[in-house]
Amino acid sequence: MRTVLYDEHIALGAQMTDFAGWEMPVKYSGILEEHRAVRQGAGLFDVSHMGELYLMGKEAYSYLNKLLTHNMSRLLDGKWAYSPMCYPSGGTVDDVIVYPWREGYLVCVNASNTDKDFEWIKSNAPEGVAVENISASFAQLALQGPDFKAVLEKVDLSAVHLKTPTGYTGERGCELYLAPENAPSLWCALIAAGAVPCGLGARDVLRTEAALPLYGHELSPEISPYEAGLDRFIDFSKQDFIGREALLRQREDNKTRRLTGIVMQGRAIARSGYEVFSPDGEPIGIITSGGVSPSLGRNIALCLLRGDFGGESVLVRIRGKNEPAEITPLPFYKKIR
Amino acid sequence: MSQVIEGLYYSKDHEWARVDGDSAYVGITDYARTSLGDIVYCDAEPVGAVVTAGGTLGAVESVKAASDILSPVSGAVTEVNSDLLDNPERLAEDAYENWIVKITLNDASELNALMDAADYEAYCESL
């Protein structure tokens, strides 16, 4: 599948890749250059492959509180809410953002999960809630970086249905939802105004530095939001939401795996799937995401480690050698301005 | 178009060899470097290591992926370009100046199995 901006990506010389069945740009000028543009200026991402579901009805608000682990009361103030969505096992269906929208709520979901989420949300919906998959009515652009406002000011936003102060990079920015037919001209206008086109390669480096979870890596049917360190998005004071009992049991078990940040001590790069050991050589976990951190000038990784591992140092098995790493608090990177 | 230099021997896996007496300098080609994108890591077998043609000589990593460097020839590693290993991004400046290892050539006839510049250029175009 192609987004409505496919031709723009090709015209810009993007290297394309498959992501969840979508042909998306990995990079244009280069991953490190694009990363720098977001951290120091303004970068522009085509995120039109993401899914949008629409919930409405008398019971929609209370249903969202049952479906999602976080407290949805922010929605009543007209604000957006990020939340994991769990199976009864505590495993993750997806992580989503909800916005008050028209008469109900817009739920923005990961591209890889759109159909699955739609089925899940429909099948659990009570009487009094209608659920629609309106993904085809939206293109989505993400403008991220300390200079995003200056770029935005120069551009006509009348075609934008929804502008949200959200993003996946750890920088200030916004996400713009609009009808697909209007996306190419907005894309070009933002670039003309100074935004640098950025691909999924840079996006992954940015979100890892910000320690943001990627579904399939830090969250999955086998990895709960509690294990992923998203405790502040699980409201146990809500008496009833899907996965509550399982997550409570995980919280009470000190062996429950926990997402941990590490910084490699040498030049070796830890990558998803590599095994992690204690300094004594005991297997204690696995890398979920890892790579270079241009912002830190070091190599970083997120890993799921046994909750009862109390050490400060670990070893990562890379090409048959045990490479040392130090545990570090998350996030690796915090925005400067 | 990626740069290809006369006088070097090229492998299908995009390594080059430059003969120097009874040894050869080995590196990765401009084509490999361009395909990888930003190179953030490079490693090699240490001095003294014995490698076979087609065997692993080291590794090079871009932001997104790790890739093995395969030796175009058999021999023992006599020198490692540690300056390059400390600054792998230099491969972007010149893939041919920045050799990775020097290997003694066990069997010079192995060079016959490699491509010359013209053949390698044609090979790259066919990919």
Side-chain angles (χ1 to χ4, degrees):
Chain A
M1 286 173 291
R2 293 176 175 174
T3 73
V4 73
L5 293 171
Y6 177 84
D7 290 342
E8 307 303 326
H9 302 318
I10 300 299
L12 287 165
Q15 182 189 322
M16 306 297 281
T17 192
D18 172 77
F19 182 86
W22 294 83
E23 268 186 272
M24 299 299 288
V26 169
K27 62 174 178 159
Y28 303 83
S29 56
I31 295 179
L32 297 181
E33 203 174 302
E34 292 161 35
H35 169 280
R36 193 164 35 240
V38 173
R39 289 274 177 256
Q40 295 176 9
L44 182 63
F45 299 87
D46 173 13
V47 285
S48 305
H49 57 325
M50 312 234 341
E52 290 84 8
L53 307 176
Y54 179 50
L55 270 73
M56 59 174 282
K58 223 159 52 73
E59 303 300 320
Y61 174 75
S62 72
Y63 176 45
L64 284 170
N65 259 323
K66 171 140 198 279
L67 190 64
L68 306 174
T69 62
H70 196 28
N71 194 304
M72 293 291 111
S73 57
R74 292 165 58 93
L75 297 176
L76 300 175
D77 296 330
K79 297 199 184 106
W80 57 274
Y82 167 80
S83 179
M85 178 165 65
C86 287
Y87 294 106
S89 65
T92 312
V93 182
D94 202 358
D95 61 330
V96 306
I97 302 191
V98 188
Y99 307 94
W101 168 252
R102 303 244 156 105
E103 288 86 57
Y105 303 95
L106 189 69
V107 182
C108 183
V109 301
N110 281 303
S112 52
N113 294 327
T114 306
D115 294 339
K116 179 185 81 172
D117 289 2
F118 181 45
E119 287 310 311
W120 177 257
I121 295 176
K122 250 193 331 178
S123 65
N124 283 292
E127 290 281 321
V129 179
V131 185
E132 274 181 74
N133 180 352
I134 54 172
S135 305
S137 350
F138 288 101
Q140 192 186 349
L141 307 185
L143 181 65
Q144 304 280 303
D147 294 338
F148 89 97
K149 281 206 176 118
V151 168
L152 212 55
E153 267 156 27
K154 299 183 199 163
V155 162
D156 174 8
L157 298 175
S158 52
V160 173
H161 292 317
L162 178 65
K163 174 167 148 295
T164 67
T166 48
Y168 193 52
T169 61
E171 295 298 330
R172 297 189 201 289
C174 63
E175 292 177 311
L176 306 166
Y177 294 75
L178 71 170
E181 57 268 22
N182 297 323
S185 70
L186 181 60
W187 171 268
C188 293
L190 287 164
I191 291 175
V196 172
C198 297
L200 295 181
R203 194 169 170 78
D204 195 37
V205 176
L206 291 158
R207 69 95 192 164
T208 304
E209 287 183 325
L212 297 171
L214 173 62
Y215 190 83
H217 288 247
E218 288 72 38
L219 293 168
S220 76
E222 292 76 38
I223 305 174
S224 79
Y226 182 76
E227 292 176 297
L230 298 177
D231 313 26
R232 65 197 185 288
F233 300 107
I234 305 171
D235 183 2
F236 286 106
S237 76
K238 286 198 303 185
Q239 288 312 297
D240 180 28
F241 60 84
I242 306 177
R244 186 179 187 277
E245 275 75 54
L247 292 173
L248 213 46
R249 278 196 304 272
Q250 284 192 335
R251 192 173 71 167
E252 281 152 20
D253 179 359
N254 76 332
K255 287 210 196 41
T256 298
R257 300 174 306 176
R258 295 289 268 161
L259 195 68
T260 307
I262 61 172
V263 178
M264 303 304 296
Q265 297 303 288
R267 292 188 310 232
I269 298 173
R271 296 189 186 264
S272 179
Y274 290 7
E275 291 176 275
V276 185
F277 299 86
S278 69
D280 301 326
E282 202 195 324
I284 53 170
I286 194 164
I287 304 291
T288 55
S289 298
V292 298
S293 166
S295 299
L296 266 62
R298 309 288 297 280
N299 298 329
I300 60 174
L302 294 166
C303 52
L304 271 175
L305 299 184
R306 276 177 49 159
D308 58 353
F309 174 71
E312 287 304 307
S313 310
V314 300
L315 297 168
V316 184
R317 181 74 52 86
I318 303 175
R319 275 189 289 276
K321 278 170 50 181
N322 286 341
E323 302 284 353
E326 290 294 299
I327 290 179
T328 192
L330 296 174
F332 301 101
Y333 169 86
K334 277 204 166 109
K335 62 178 172 284
I336 293 165
R337 61 182 176 96
Chain B
M1 254 270 273
S2 300
Q3 202 197 12
V4 177
I5 301 211
E6 286 295 328
L8 302 186
Y9 293 90
Y10 295 86
S11 72
K12 285 205 156 87
D13 194 60
H14 309 286
E15 288 89 12
W16 57 263
R18 184 172 84 243
V19 175
D20 185 58
D22 59 1
S23 298
Y25 287 97
V26 173
I28 63 169
T29 67
D30 193 50
Y31 181 93
R33 200 268 312 164
T34 316
S35 312
L36 286 165
D38 293 309
I39 295 188
V40 292
Y41 177 84
C42 184
D43 204 359
E45 289 295 307
V47 170
V50 172
V51 297
T52 53
T56 308
L57 184 51
V60 64
E61 296 197 34
S62 67
V63 178
K64 290 304 284 177
S67 194
D68 282 333
I69 303 170
L70 303 180
S71 186
V73 292
S74 310
V77 178
T78 55
E79 275 180 67
V80 172
N81 190 347
S82 45
D83 212 34
L84 175 66
L85 267 45
D86 286 337
N87 304 284
E89 66 282 354
R90 287 207 189 136
L91 283 167
E93 292 158 29
D94 193 323
Y96 300 103
E97 277 304 304
N98 288 295
W99 55 275
I100 299 172
V101 295
K102 191 176 185 186
I103 309 183
T104 54
L105 282 170
N106 273 1
D107 178 4
S109 71
E110 282 179 341
L111 297 170
N112 299 333
L114 301 171
M115 294 176 269
D116 65 15
D119 287 343
Y120 178 64
E121 203 161 7
Y123 168 67
C124 289
E125 267 166 52
S126 75
L127 293 170

